[in-house]
Amino acid sequence: MSSSKTLRKLQVVSPVPADIDVANSVEPFHISEIAAELDLSPDHYDLYGKYKAKVLLSALDELEGRGDGYYVVVGGITPTPLGEGKSTTTVGLCQALGAFLDKKVVTCVRQPSQGPTFGIKGGAAGGGYSQVIPMDEFNLHLTGDIHAITAANNLLAAAIDTRIFHESAQSDKALFNRLCPLNKEGKRNFGDVMLRRLKKLGISKDKPEDLSPQEVKKFARLDIDPDSITWRRVMDVNDRFLRKISIGQGPEEKGMVRETGFDISVASEIMAVLALTTSLADMRERLGKMVIGNSKAGEPITADDLGVGGALTVLMKDAIHPTLMQTLEGTPVLVHAGPFANIAHGNSSIVADKIALKLVGPGGFVVTEAGFGADIGTEKFMNIKCRYSGLTPQCAVIVATVRALKMHGGGPEVVAGKPLDRTYLSENVALVEAGCVNLARHISNTKAYGVNVVVAVNMFSTDTEAELNAVKKAALSAGAYDAVICTHHAHGGKGAVDLGIAVQKACENVTQPLRFLYPLDISIKDKIGAIARSYGASGVEYSDQAEKQIEMYSRQGFLDLPICMAKTQYSFSHNASEKGAPSGFVLPIRDVRASIGAGFIYPLVGTMSTMPGLPTRPCFYDIDLDTATGRVIGLS
């Protein structure tokens, strides 16, 4: 057992109490104690209350000469709507490594959205005796990063419509003079963000008076095509009635009405930028490069063209720093970014992983979670996140459950909020074995990247030994490095010790370099095709709209970006009801969009909603405050 001062021995109870009750049963260590265990100087973090701190990027500069620890990504099989415990496994594995195997370890996870927290899924702090605490702070406002993203996103949205409004009523000269007003000396100057636009336009002059009338028009008039605008407003609440709205209805807007809508904040491109940025300077460039639509001449219009890139960076300046928290057993956690995995790339931030790898140093472990099944989260981790970070994982964990494998074997539908069919509560080895085709495909796909794959079988109380053995046997025959039964939900890190040992061996014995699924210098369609084949598709079918967008992005010079598929998480295919490992289907691409600042092209497979809705009985029914103690109750 480690001699670390911040490790806590859990007193586990059976049956396992509600998650919030487990979380509230321990008093967290002061976050400065967690920071000290990581050898973090107080100069390199800012306290946010007693149990949270922002780790400053300056810590990376301080640790530049130190080697990296082992890098582990946790994905899963194709899940049921109930989830298979991927976050719980991520936390449990880290508790095992830190509290029982005496390893220096940092957990890197995404910040949960308040949409699912108050909606149908609940929070994302893990579960049972493998959680991030304080659980209520983790699942709610945390340190305000999502609020900063919401503010920045909506500032850009306001700038777009305001610019169209002002351009519609002013001459080129009047527009130019207002954009570059006279200063106290009676002269006009270009701001830094304006010089960026001039450079993009190929105009080398830096004094407003030197521009020709043609250059004045070119600079001042963005001439945004309202029908091309892709930028929408956001809020961090599931509000289906804002999916499609009409704006500009006020009498002052002079009839400038257009249709737009809201996405959930975590679907904002600014969230993806936060997750993929590598430095403050890089974030400034990415935010400025975000494309919001086109001019009527078909040229891409960016945030910097609108003059707002610098202001967006100011709103995001604190959000770029990861938040330090802790697990129930006192091991450190970095929480940062929260992009959706079925819309964006679904991974926590590059900067959090980089800081963590330096903090643990050689021989230590950084465990980071990739959202949803490995076909989505792990694929995007490898082909998008690792490309931009330059980091190489040694091991990929795939979380599986008997419950999900029975569903993939042909079991009845699993529906959130409805009691499980008895099939899932009684032994049926044949159904488990039939469903292991899903696990096998995830293993072979993930092994192709050159990492060792360890399968973590997240055990439920109703699973039988024969069923669990069937999963282990199938995993090993599919090429997994190891397969381990885990009980971390019921026992904390102690229930994932075997998983920790297997992961350590897998990291120490990796023999291949990281291999990507596709090169960047092939066409957009060829990259989409490579991903589709990994799903089991025989081909790809493009709508007219998708064809048009691919042609436009190719013409605009965005050919060399990675692909981020927006696809259902409930099947390898586009059809959520197709379980197991479907093959031979044609993947339909409905539309293709671009997150140029974040740095990817995202095809929309079938119908994908970027604003979830609330169910009849949302989670908020159970959430309240104990007014006597001030504690949150009912969070899950």
PDB file of all heavy atoms in Angstrom, residues 563-581:
ATOM      1  N   ILE A 563     -11.188  13.489 -39.920  1.00  0.00           N
ATOM      2  CA  ILE A 563     -12.651  13.349 -39.990  1.00  0.00           C
ATOM      3  C   ILE A 563     -13.205  13.008 -38.608  1.00  0.00           C
ATOM      4  O   ILE A 563     -12.657  12.166 -37.895  1.00  0.00           O
ATOM      5  CB  ILE A 563     -13.038  12.217 -40.984  1.00  0.00           C
ATOM      6  CG1 ILE A 563     -12.492  12.531 -42.383  1.00  0.00           C
ATOM      7  CG2 ILE A 563     -14.553  12.014 -41.020  1.00  0.00           C
ATOM      8  CD1 ILE A 563     -13.035  13.793 -43.027  1.00  0.00           C
ATOM      9  N   CYS A 564     -14.323  13.657 -38.264  1.00  0.00           N
ATOM     10  CA  CYS A 564     -14.990  13.414 -36.980  1.00  0.00           C
ATOM     11  C   CYS A 564     -16.438  13.028 -37.277  1.00  0.00           C
ATOM     12  O   CYS A 564     -17.283  13.879 -37.519  1.00  0.00           O
ATOM     13  CB  CYS A 564     -14.926  14.680 -36.131  1.00  0.00           C
ATOM     14  SG  CYS A 564     -15.615  14.502 -34.485  1.00  0.00           S
ATOM     15  N   MET A 565     -16.726  11.739 -37.282  1.00  0.00           N
ATOM     16  CA  MET A 565     -18.060  11.259 -37.655  1.00  0.00           C
ATOM     17  C   MET A 565     -19.085  11.562 -36.558  1.00  0.00           C
ATOM     18  O   MET A 565     -18.859  11.261 -35.384  1.00  0.00           O
ATOM     19  CB  MET A 565     -18.034   9.754 -37.904  1.00  0.00           C
ATOM     20  CG  MET A 565     -17.111   9.333 -39.023  1.00  0.00           C
ATOM     21  SD  MET A 565     -17.755   9.749 -40.655  1.00  0.00           S
ATOM     22  CE  MET A 565     -18.150   8.141 -41.265  1.00  0.00           C
ATOM     23  N   ALA A 566     -20.200  12.163 -36.948  1.00  0.00           N
ATOM     24  CA  ALA A 566     -21.321  12.365 -36.031  1.00  0.00           C
ATOM     25  C   ALA A 566     -22.309  11.230 -36.297  1.00  0.00           C
ATOM     26  O   ALA A 566     -23.004  11.212 -37.312  1.00  0.00           O
ATOM     27  CB  ALA A 566     -21.970  13.721 -36.265  1.00  0.00           C
ATOM     28  N   LYS A 567     -22.320  10.251 -35.377  1.00  0.00           N
ATOM     29  CA  LYS A 567     -23.040   9.000 -35.612  1.00  0.00           C
ATOM     30  C   LYS A 567     -23.663   8.505 -34.310  1.00  0.00           C
ATOM     31  O   LYS A 567     -23.155   8.790 -33.234  1.00  0.00           O
ATOM     32  CB  LYS A 567     -22.051   7.948 -36.155  1.00  0.00           C
ATOM     33  CG  LYS A 567     -22.629   6.566 -36.391  1.00  0.00           C
ATOM     34  CD  LYS A 567     -21.565   5.581 -36.823  1.00  0.00           C
ATOM     35  CE  LYS A 567     -20.773   5.032 -35.668  1.00  0.00           C
ATOM     36  NZ  LYS A 567     -21.509   4.038 -34.869  1.00  0.00           N
ATOM     37  N   THR A 568     -24.719   7.735 -34.427  1.00  0.00           N
ATOM     38  CA  THR A 568     -25.311   7.134 -33.223  1.00  0.00           C
ATOM     39  C   THR A 568     -24.265   6.312 -32.473  1.00  0.00           C
ATOM     40  O   THR A 568     -23.431   5.633 -33.082  1.00  0.00           O
ATOM     41  CB  THR A 568     -26.518   6.246 -33.568  1.00  0.00           C
ATOM     42  OG1 THR A 568     -27.009   5.656 -32.346  1.00  0.00           O
ATOM     43  CG2 THR A 568     -26.149   5.118 -34.526  1.00  0.00           C
ATOM     44  N   GLN A 569     -24.341   6.361 -31.141  1.00  0.00           N
ATOM     45  CA  GLN A 569     -23.430   5.574 -30.310  1.00  0.00           C
ATOM     46  C   GLN A 569     -23.947   4.176 -30.040  1.00  0.00           C
ATOM     47  O   GLN A 569     -23.261   3.364 -29.436  1.00  0.00           O
ATOM     48  CB  GLN A 569     -23.200   6.288 -28.967  1.00  0.00           C
ATOM     49  CG  GLN A 569     -24.426   6.405 -28.067  1.00  0.00           C
ATOM     50  CD  GLN A 569     -25.227   7.669 -28.294  1.00  0.00           C
ATOM     51  OE1 GLN A 569     -25.307   8.170 -29.413  1.00  0.00           O
ATOM     52  NE2 GLN A 569     -25.829   8.202 -27.237  1.00  0.00           N
ATOM     53  N   TYR A 570     -25.158   3.869 -30.507  1.00  0.00           N
ATOM     54  CA  TYR A 570     -25.801   2.612 -30.136  1.00  0.00           C
ATOM     55  C   TYR A 570     -25.631   1.491 -31.154  1.00  0.00           C
ATOM     56  O   TYR A 570     -26.195   0.422 -30.994  1.00  0.00           O
ATOM     57  CB  TYR A 570     -27.285   2.858 -29.853  1.00  0.00           C
ATOM     58  CG  TYR A 570     -27.507   3.747 -28.652  1.00  0.00           C
ATOM     59  CD1 TYR A 570     -28.272   4.907 -28.744  1.00  0.00           C
ATOM     60  CD2 TYR A 570     -26.928   3.438 -27.427  1.00  0.00           C
ATOM     61  CE1 TYR A 570     -28.458   5.728 -27.637  1.00  0.00           C
ATOM     62  CE2 TYR A 570     -27.103   4.251 -26.314  1.00  0.00           C
ATOM     63  CZ  TYR A 570     -27.869   5.395 -26.434  1.00  0.00           C
ATOM     64  OH  TYR A 570     -28.043   6.213 -25.343  1.00  0.00           O
ATOM     65  N   SER A 571     -24.865   1.744 -32.200  1.00  0.00           N
ATOM     66  CA  SER A 571     -24.607   0.703 -33.195  1.00  0.00           C
ATOM     67  C   SER A 571     -23.346   1.054 -33.970  1.00  0.00           C
ATOM     68  O   SER A 571     -22.988   2.235 -34.087  1.00  0.00           O
ATOM     69  CB  SER A 571     -25.782   0.598 -34.177  1.00  0.00           C
ATOM     70  OG  SER A 571     -25.488  -0.294 -35.239  1.00  0.00           O
ATOM     71  N   PHE A 572     -22.669   0.025 -34.501  1.00  0.00           N
ATOM     72  CA  PHE A 572     -21.580   0.298 -35.450  1.00  0.00           C
ATOM     73  C   PHE A 572     -22.132   1.008 -36.684  1.00  0.00           C
ATOM     74  O   PHE A 572     -21.452   1.806 -37.317  1.00  0.00           O
ATOM     75  CB  PHE A 572     -20.920  -1.020 -35.902  1.00  0.00           C
ATOM     76  CG  PHE A 572     -19.805  -1.483 -35.011  1.00  0.00           C
ATOM     77  CD1 PHE A 572     -19.934  -2.624 -34.239  1.00  0.00           C
ATOM     78  CD2 PHE A 572     -18.610  -0.787 -34.951  1.00  0.00           C
ATOM     79  CE1 PHE A 572     -18.899  -3.068 -33.426  1.00  0.00           C
ATOM     80  CE2 PHE A 572     -17.559  -1.213 -34.147  1.00  0.00           C
ATOM     81  CZ  PHE A 572     -17.705  -2.363 -33.380  1.00  0.00           C
ATOM     82  N   SER A 573     -23.364   0.729 -37.027  1.00  0.00           N
ATOM     83  CA  SER A 573     -23.982   1.304 -38.222  1.00  0.00           C
ATOM     84  C   SER A 573     -24.673   2.614 -37.878  1.00  0.00           C
ATOM     85  O   SER A 573     -24.598   3.102 -36.757  1.00  0.00           O
ATOM     86  CB  SER A 573     -24.994   0.313 -38.823  1.00  0.00           C
ATOM     87  OG  SER A 573     -26.205   0.347 -38.095  1.00  0.00           O
ATOM     88  N   HIS A 574     -25.396   3.148 -38.864  1.00  0.00           N
ATOM     89  CA  HIS A 574     -26.172   4.383 -38.664  1.00  0.00           C
ATOM     90  C   HIS A 574     -27.516   4.103 -38.011  1.00  0.00           C
ATOM     91  O   HIS A 574     -28.203   5.022 -37.576  1.00  0.00           O
ATOM     92  CB  HIS A 574     -26.408   5.050 -40.019  1.00  0.00           C
ATOM     93  CG  HIS A 574     -27.090   4.134 -41.000  1.00  0.00           C
ATOM     94  ND1 HIS A 574     -26.418   3.082 -41.602  1.00  0.00           N
ATOM     95  CD2 HIS A 574     -28.365   4.083 -41.471  1.00  0.00           C
ATOM     96  CE1 HIS A 574     -27.260   2.442 -42.398  1.00  0.00           C
ATOM     97  NE2 HIS A 574     -28.443   3.025 -42.334  1.00  0.00           N
ATOM     98  N   ASN A 575     -27.888   2.842 -37.943  1.00  0.00           N
ATOM     99  CA  ASN A 575     -29.193   2.438 -37.421  1.00  0.00           C
ATOM    100  C   ASN A 575     -29.031   1.931 -35.990  1.00  0.00           C
ATOM    101  O   ASN A 575     -28.464   0.868 -35.761  1.00  0.00           O
ATOM    102  CB  ASN A 575     -29.784   1.349 -38.324  1.00  0.00           C
ATOM    103  CG  ASN A 575     -31.175   0.911 -37.880  1.00  0.00           C
ATOM    104  OD1 ASN A 575     -31.659   1.329 -36.834  1.00  0.00           O
ATOM    105  ND2 ASN A 575     -31.808   0.069 -38.681  1.00  0.00           N
ATOM    106  N   ALA A 576     -29.543   2.691 -35.015  1.00  0.00           N
ATOM    107  CA  ALA A 576     -29.343   2.359 -33.599  1.00  0.00           C
ATOM    108  C   ALA A 576     -29.873   0.976 -33.223  1.00  0.00           C
ATOM    109  O   ALA A 576     -29.421   0.375 -32.257  1.00  0.00           O
ATOM    110  CB  ALA A 576     -30.000   3.425 -32.725  1.00  0.00           C
ATOM    111  N   SER A 577     -30.818   0.462 -33.985  1.00  0.00           N
ATOM    112  CA  SER A 577     -31.398  -0.844 -33.646  1.00  0.00           C
ATOM    113  C   SER A 577     -30.557  -2.016 -34.167  1.00  0.00           C
ATOM    114  O   SER A 577     -30.816  -3.156 -33.822  1.00  0.00           O
ATOM    115  CB  SER A 577     -32.819  -0.942 -34.202  1.00  0.00           C
ATOM    116  OG  SER A 577     -32.798  -0.891 -35.612  1.00  0.00           O
ATOM    117  N   GLU A 578     -29.545  -1.731 -34.984  1.00  0.00           N
ATOM    118  CA  GLU A 578     -28.673  -2.790 -35.523  1.00  0.00           C
ATOM    119  C   GLU A 578     -27.597  -3.117 -34.491  1.00  0.00           C
ATOM    120  O   GLU A 578     -26.603  -2.401 -34.368  1.00  0.00           O
ATOM    121  CB  GLU A 578     -28.020  -2.324 -36.836  1.00  0.00           C
ATOM    122  CG  GLU A 578     -28.962  -2.269 -38.016  1.00  0.00           C
ATOM    123  CD  GLU A 578     -29.219  -3.648 -38.605  1.00  0.00           C
ATOM    124  OE1 GLU A 578     -28.301  -4.496 -38.597  1.00  0.00           O
ATOM    125  OE2 GLU A 578     -30.342  -3.871 -39.068  1.00  0.00           O
ATOM    126  N   LYS A 579     -27.785  -4.198 -33.757  1.00  0.00           N
ATOM    127  CA  LYS A 579     -26.853  -4.551 -32.693  1.00  0.00           C
ATOM    128  C   LYS A 579     -25.794  -5.531 -33.203  1.00  0.00           C
ATOM    129  O   LYS A 579     -25.779  -5.896 -34.367  1.00  0.00           O
ATOM    130  CB  LYS A 579     -27.612  -5.140 -31.504  1.00  0.00           C
ATOM    131  CG  LYS A 579     -28.723  -4.230 -30.966  1.00  0.00           C
ATOM    132  CD  LYS A 579     -28.209  -2.848 -30.586  1.00  0.00           C
ATOM    133  CE  LYS A 579     -29.318  -1.964 -30.039  1.00  0.00           C
ATOM    134  NZ  LYS A 579     -28.847  -0.583 -29.798  1.00  0.00           N
ATOM    135  N   GLY A 580     -24.924  -5.973 -32.278  1.00  0.00           N
ATOM    136  CA  GLY A 580     -23.885  -6.929 -32.646  1.00  0.00           C
ATOM    137  C   GLY A 580     -22.806  -6.269 -33.472  1.00  0.00           C
ATOM    138  O   GLY A 580     -22.293  -5.209 -33.129  1.00  0.00           O
ATOM    139  N   ALA A 581     -22.457  -6.915 -34.604  1.00  0.00           N
ATOM    140  CA  ALA A 581     -21.426  -6.387 -35.498  1.00  0.00           C
ATOM    141  C   ALA A 581     -21.956  -6.419 -36.929  1.00  0.00           C
ATOM    142  O   ALA A 581     -21.563  -7.260 -37.749  1.00  0.00           O
ATOM    143  CB  ALA A 581     -20.150  -7.215 -35.373  1.00  0.00           C
TER     144      ALA A 581
END
